[in-house]
Structures are given as structure tokens and as C-alpha cells.
Amino acid sequence: MENMKAAEPAFSVTSCTARRVLEIVSNKWPVLIIFVLEKGAKPYGQLQRSIADISPKMLTQTLRQLERDGLVERGVLPEVPPVAEYALTPLGASLIPYLRHLNHWMNEHYPQIEQARKDYDAKERFREDKSTRTV
């Protein structure tokens, strides 16, 4: 019995904790920011250039939320004018292996997802065509 691992708590779809963490990892902007910061601290402008299509407003909002969540820390470089620099905290860095695992799963299974979508859309078109013909 001593060698047995403690059972992991069951996943609860109603858990506030689960919902908040899923908000972080299911949104593309936090995940992309975390992956960019994996390589080291970046000034705000470099972060913005590294992430295509993110608006300054969305980047600022996402960085603030990641900072609030303890995943990113903000520093100020001693330049004139001062430049904000962002880096992962140890907590943020600890999320990377899990995001990589999810990324691996997505890359491995995305063709199946695409095929399922095509099959579903074809069935829906057939249903729509069939229902308009019988009216």
C-alpha cells in the first residue's frame, strides 16, 4: 500500500479552479505568449512583433491577466523612455510541458478532427437538402 500513488482528484466541470485554468490554456493568446516567453524575457514591443495578429489592447489585457495569475512577471528596463519587459515566472514555466503535450496531441489528431468536421458538414448539407426538397 505504501507504494501506491494517491488518487488524483476527479475533474469537476463545475469547479471554479478548473474553469479558470481552462480559460488560460484554451485561449490562444495566453498560450502563444507563454511559448514566446519560454525562450526568455522579452520587451513589450518584441512580444507584439512575435505574435501575429494580436492587437496592442489584447496583448496588454492578456499580459495583465497572466501577471495576475502569477504566470508572467513584468519588469522595467532602465532605458529612456523606460521599457516594460515580461518573463515567465517559475509557475508559468511549469505549464510549458503540459502545453507541449497538448500541442503534440493536437498535431497528432488534427487530421481526424478535420475529417470528422468534413463528414459532419456533409451530413448536415444532405439533411438540409433533403428537408428543402420535401417541403
mmCIF file of all heavy atoms in Angstrom, residues 21-44:
data_model
loop_
_atom_site.group_PDB
_atom_site.id
_atom_site.type_symbol
_atom_site.label_atom_id
_atom_site.label_comp_id
_atom_site.label_asym_id
_atom_site.label_seq_id
_atom_site.Cartn_x
_atom_site.Cartn_y
_atom_site.Cartn_z
ATOM 1 N N VAL A 21 -8.459 27.738 -14.974
ATOM 2 C CA VAL A 21 -7.282 27.210 -15.659
ATOM 3 C C VAL A 21 -7.608 26.927 -17.122
ATOM 4 O O VAL A 21 -6.802 27.212 -18.013
ATOM 5 C CB VAL A 21 -6.733 25.962 -14.939
ATOM 6 C CG1 VAL A 21 -5.636 25.294 -15.759
ATOM 7 C CG2 VAL A 21 -6.206 26.350 -13.556
ATOM 8 N N LEU A 22 -8.799 26.413 -17.394
ATOM 9 C CA LEU A 22 -9.186 26.169 -18.787
ATOM 10 C C LEU A 22 -9.280 27.478 -19.571
ATOM 11 O O LEU A 22 -8.966 27.506 -20.760
ATOM 12 C CB LEU A 22 -10.510 25.404 -18.856
ATOM 13 C CG LEU A 22 -10.397 23.926 -18.534
ATOM 14 C CD1 LEU A 22 -11.783 23.299 -18.438
ATOM 15 C CD2 LEU A 22 -9.554 23.209 -19.566
ATOM 16 N N GLU A 23 -9.690 28.561 -18.919
ATOM 17 C CA GLU A 23 -9.695 29.865 -19.596
ATOM 18 C C GLU A 23 -8.296 30.231 -20.068
ATOM 19 O O GLU A 23 -8.125 30.789 -21.145
ATOM 20 C CB GLU A 23 -10.192 30.963 -18.649
ATOM 21 C CG GLU A 23 -11.672 30.975 -18.421
ATOM 22 C CD GLU A 23 -12.085 32.034 -17.394
ATOM 23 O OE1 GLU A 23 -11.297 32.962 -17.140
ATOM 24 O OE2 GLU A 23 -13.189 31.904 -16.850
ATOM 25 N N ILE A 24 -7.302 29.924 -19.264
ATOM 26 C CA ILE A 24 -5.920 30.256 -19.624
ATOM 27 C C ILE A 24 -5.447 29.394 -20.783
ATOM 28 O O ILE A 24 -4.964 29.902 -21.796
ATOM 29 C CB ILE A 24 -4.978 30.069 -18.419
ATOM 30 C CG1 ILE A 24 -5.338 31.046 -17.296
ATOM 31 C CG2 ILE A 24 -3.522 30.256 -18.840
ATOM 32 C CD1 ILE A 24 -4.666 30.730 -15.972
ATOM 33 N N VAL A 25 -5.578 28.084 -20.649
ATOM 34 C CA VAL A 25 -4.969 27.181 -21.628
ATOM 35 C C VAL A 25 -5.809 26.967 -22.879
ATOM 36 O O VAL A 25 -5.321 26.410 -23.852
ATOM 37 C CB VAL A 25 -4.582 25.818 -21.008
ATOM 38 C CG1 VAL A 25 -3.578 26.006 -19.901
ATOM 39 C CG2 VAL A 25 -5.802 25.056 -20.536
ATOM 40 N N SER A 26 -7.067 27.409 -22.870
ATOM 41 C CA SER A 26 -7.886 27.217 -24.065
ATOM 42 C C SER A 26 -7.951 28.476 -24.922
ATOM 43 O O SER A 26 -8.496 28.442 -26.012
ATOM 44 C CB SER A 26 -9.302 26.770 -23.689
ATOM 45 O OG SER A 26 -9.965 27.797 -22.970
ATOM 46 N N ASN A 27 -7.382 29.548 -24.459
ATOM 47 C CA ASN A 27 -7.357 30.792 -25.218
ATOM 48 C C ASN A 27 -6.014 30.876 -25.933
ATOM 49 O O ASN A 27 -4.972 30.638 -25.324
ATOM 50 C CB ASN A 27 -7.544 31.984 -24.269
ATOM 51 C CG ASN A 27 -7.683 33.290 -24.996
ATOM 52 O OD1 ASN A 27 -7.004 33.546 -25.988
ATOM 53 N ND2 ASN A 27 -8.551 34.139 -24.502
ATOM 54 N N LYS A 28 -6.053 31.225 -27.200
ATOM 55 C CA LYS A 28 -4.807 31.209 -27.974
ATOM 56 C C LYS A 28 -3.794 32.233 -27.508
ATOM 57 O O LYS A 28 -2.594 31.975 -27.534
ATOM 58 C CB LYS A 28 -5.086 31.399 -29.465
ATOM 59 C CG LYS A 28 -5.624 32.765 -29.849
ATOM 60 C CD LYS A 28 -5.892 32.826 -31.342
ATOM 61 C CE LYS A 28 -6.572 34.127 -31.704
ATOM 62 N NZ LYS A 28 -6.867 34.189 -33.120
ATOM 63 N N TRP A 29 -4.228 33.413 -27.060
ATOM 64 C CA TRP A 29 -3.254 34.456 -26.738
ATOM 65 C C TRP A 29 -2.380 34.094 -25.546
ATOM 66 O O TRP A 29 -1.152 34.226 -25.635
ATOM 67 C CB TRP A 29 -3.935 35.809 -26.543
ATOM 68 C CG TRP A 29 -4.681 36.283 -27.755
ATOM 69 C CD1 TRP A 29 -5.984 36.686 -27.800
ATOM 70 C CD2 TRP A 29 -4.200 36.413 -29.103
ATOM 71 N NE1 TRP A 29 -6.335 37.044 -29.076
ATOM 72 C CE2 TRP A 29 -5.262 36.885 -29.904
ATOM 73 C CE3 TRP A 29 -2.983 36.156 -29.714
ATOM 74 C CZ2 TRP A 29 -5.131 37.128 -31.264
ATOM 75 C CZ3 TRP A 29 -2.858 36.382 -31.083
ATOM 76 C CH2 TRP A 29 -3.924 36.862 -31.839
ATOM 77 N N PRO A 30 -2.932 33.648 -24.414
ATOM 78 C CA PRO A 30 -2.048 33.280 -23.307
ATOM 79 C C PRO A 30 -1.065 32.173 -23.681
ATOM 80 O O PRO A 30 0.112 32.234 -23.315
ATOM 81 C CB PRO A 30 -3.004 32.801 -22.212
ATOM 82 C CG PRO A 30 -4.299 33.450 -22.522
ATOM 83 C CD PRO A 30 -4.339 33.560 -24.016
ATOM 84 N N VAL A 31 -1.539 31.186 -24.413
ATOM 85 C CA VAL A 31 -0.671 30.076 -24.798
ATOM 86 C C VAL A 31 0.455 30.567 -25.697
ATOM 87 O O VAL A 31 1.627 30.216 -25.503
ATOM 88 C CB VAL A 31 -1.490 28.952 -25.475
ATOM 89 C CG1 VAL A 31 -0.580 27.887 -26.066
ATOM 90 C CG2 VAL A 31 -2.463 28.338 -24.478
ATOM 91 N N LEU A 32 0.140 31.408 -26.683
ATOM 92 C CA LEU A 32 1.177 31.928 -27.572
ATOM 93 C C LEU A 32 2.181 32.785 -26.814
ATOM 94 O O LEU A 32 3.389 32.697 -27.045
ATOM 95 C CB LEU A 32 0.545 32.721 -28.712
ATOM 96 C CG LEU A 32 -0.250 31.886 -29.722
ATOM 97 C CD1 LEU A 32 -0.951 32.793 -30.729
ATOM 98 C CD2 LEU A 32 0.649 30.894 -30.435
ATOM 99 N N ILE A 33 1.701 33.606 -25.900
ATOM 100 C CA ILE A 33 2.604 34.445 -25.103
ATOM 101 C C ILE A 33 3.529 33.568 -24.267
ATOM 102 O O ILE A 33 4.746 33.803 -24.200
ATOM 103 C CB ILE A 33 1.798 35.422 -24.223
ATOM 104 C CG1 ILE A 33 1.149 36.494 -25.098
ATOM 105 C CG2 ILE A 33 2.695 36.048 -23.157
ATOM 106 C CD1 ILE A 33 0.119 37.357 -24.386
ATOM 107 N N ILE A 34 2.993 32.543 -23.646
ATOM 108 C CA ILE A 34 3.809 31.641 -22.831
ATOM 109 C C ILE A 34 4.884 30.985 -23.685
ATOM 110 O O ILE A 34 6.045 30.909 -23.281
ATOM 111 C CB ILE A 34 2.927 30.602 -22.104
ATOM 112 C CG1 ILE A 34 2.131 31.301 -20.996
ATOM 113 C CG2 ILE A 34 3.763 29.451 -21.547
ATOM 114 C CD1 ILE A 34 1.026 30.463 -20.391
ATOM 115 N N PHE A 35 4.521 30.523 -24.882
ATOM 116 C CA PHE A 35 5.521 29.900 -25.750
ATOM 117 C C PHE A 35 6.588 30.890 -26.199
ATOM 118 O O PHE A 35 7.763 30.535 -26.296
ATOM 119 C CB PHE A 35 4.865 29.221 -26.959
ATOM 120 C CG PHE A 35 4.346 27.841 -26.671
ATOM 121 C CD1 PHE A 35 3.085 27.472 -27.085
ATOM 122 C CD2 PHE A 35 5.103 26.902 -25.996
ATOM 123 C CE1 PHE A 35 2.591 26.198 -26.846
ATOM 124 C CE2 PHE A 35 4.633 25.626 -25.727
ATOM 125 C CZ PHE A 35 3.369 25.277 -26.159
ATOM 126 N N VAL A 36 6.227 32.130 -26.469
ATOM 127 C CA VAL A 36 7.225 33.138 -26.855
ATOM 128 C C VAL A 36 8.158 33.419 -25.679
ATOM 129 O O VAL A 36 9.377 33.518 -25.846
ATOM 130 C CB VAL A 36 6.549 34.433 -27.360
ATOM 131 C CG1 VAL A 36 7.560 35.553 -27.505
ATOM 132 C CG2 VAL A 36 5.848 34.190 -28.696
ATOM 133 N N LEU A 37 7.605 33.520 -24.480
ATOM 134 C CA LEU A 37 8.419 33.827 -23.305
ATOM 135 C C LEU A 37 9.236 32.634 -22.815
ATOM 136 O O LEU A 37 10.137 32.801 -21.992
ATOM 137 C CB LEU A 37 7.534 34.361 -22.178
ATOM 138 C CG LEU A 37 6.919 35.733 -22.432
ATOM 139 C CD1 LEU A 37 6.002 36.116 -21.280
ATOM 140 C CD2 LEU A 37 7.998 36.787 -22.650
ATOM 141 N N GLU A 38 8.941 31.459 -23.337
ATOM 142 C CA GLU A 38 9.724 30.278 -22.967
ATOM 143 C C GLU A 38 11.201 30.481 -23.287
ATOM 144 O O GLU A 38 12.078 30.007 -22.567
ATOM 145 C CB GLU A 38 9.194 29.045 -23.701
ATOM 146 C CG GLU A 38 10.011 27.794 -23.462
ATOM 147 C CD GLU A 38 9.596 26.628 -24.332
ATOM 148 O OE1 GLU A 38 8.898 26.826 -25.349
ATOM 149 O OE2 GLU A 38 9.968 25.495 -23.971
ATOM 150 N N LYS A 39 11.480 31.207 -24.337
ATOM 151 C CA LYS A 39 12.862 31.419 -24.776
ATOM 152 C C LYS A 39 13.564 32.531 -24.000
ATOM 153 O O LYS A 39 14.723 32.800 -24.223
ATOM 154 C CB LYS A 39 12.876 31.711 -26.271
ATOM 155 C CG LYS A 39 12.407 30.533 -27.105
ATOM 156 C CD LYS A 39 12.288 30.908 -28.575
ATOM 157 C CE LYS A 39 11.820 29.751 -29.414
ATOM 158 N NZ LYS A 39 10.431 29.409 -29.237
ATOM 159 N N GLY A 40 12.833 33.181 -23.092
ATOM 160 C CA GLY A 40 13.441 34.226 -22.277
ATOM 161 C C GLY A 40 12.584 35.474 -22.250
ATOM 162 O O GLY A 40 11.620 35.615 -23.011
ATOM 163 N N ALA A 41 12.956 36.382 -21.361
ATOM 164 C CA ALA A 41 12.226 37.638 -21.193
ATOM 165 C C ALA A 41 12.243 38.446 -22.492
ATOM 166 O O ALA A 41 13.213 38.412 -23.243
ATOM 167 C CB ALA A 41 12.845 38.452 -20.066
ATOM 168 N N LYS A 42 11.132 39.158 -22.715
ATOM 169 C CA LYS A 42 11.000 39.962 -23.936
ATOM 170 C C LYS A 42 10.394 41.319 -23.593
ATOM 171 O O LYS A 42 9.457 41.396 -22.799
ATOM 172 C CB LYS A 42 10.066 39.278 -24.945
ATOM 173 C CG LYS A 42 10.477 37.893 -25.376
ATOM 174 C CD LYS A 42 11.465 37.943 -26.509
ATOM 175 C CE LYS A 42 11.794 36.583 -27.063
ATOM 176 N NZ LYS A 42 12.654 35.765 -26.245
ATOM 177 N N PRO A 43 10.893 42.361 -24.240
ATOM 178 C CA PRO A 43 10.218 43.657 -24.120
ATOM 179 C C PRO A 43 8.848 43.592 -24.796
ATOM 180 O O PRO A 43 8.626 42.779 -25.696
ATOM 181 C CB PRO A 43 11.141 44.629 -24.854
ATOM 182 C CG PRO A 43 12.409 43.900 -25.098
ATOM 183 C CD PRO A 43 12.105 42.438 -25.038
ATOM 184 N N TYR A 44 7.963 44.474 -24.371
ATOM 185 C CA TYR A 44 6.601 44.505 -24.899
ATOM 186 C C TYR A 44 6.586 44.531 -26.429
ATOM 187 O O TYR A 44 5.880 43.756 -27.067
ATOM 188 C CB TYR A 44 5.861 45.722 -24.329
ATOM 189 C CG TYR A 44 4.443 45.832 -24.824
ATOM 190 C CD1 TYR A 44 3.415 45.221 -24.131
ATOM 191 C CD2 TYR A 44 4.137 46.537 -25.990
ATOM 192 C CE1 TYR A 44 2.105 45.313 -24.583
ATOM 193 C CE2 TYR A 44 2.836 46.624 -26.440
ATOM 194 C CZ TYR A 44 1.827 46.016 -25.745
ATOM 195 O OH TYR A 44 0.542 46.095 -26.193
#
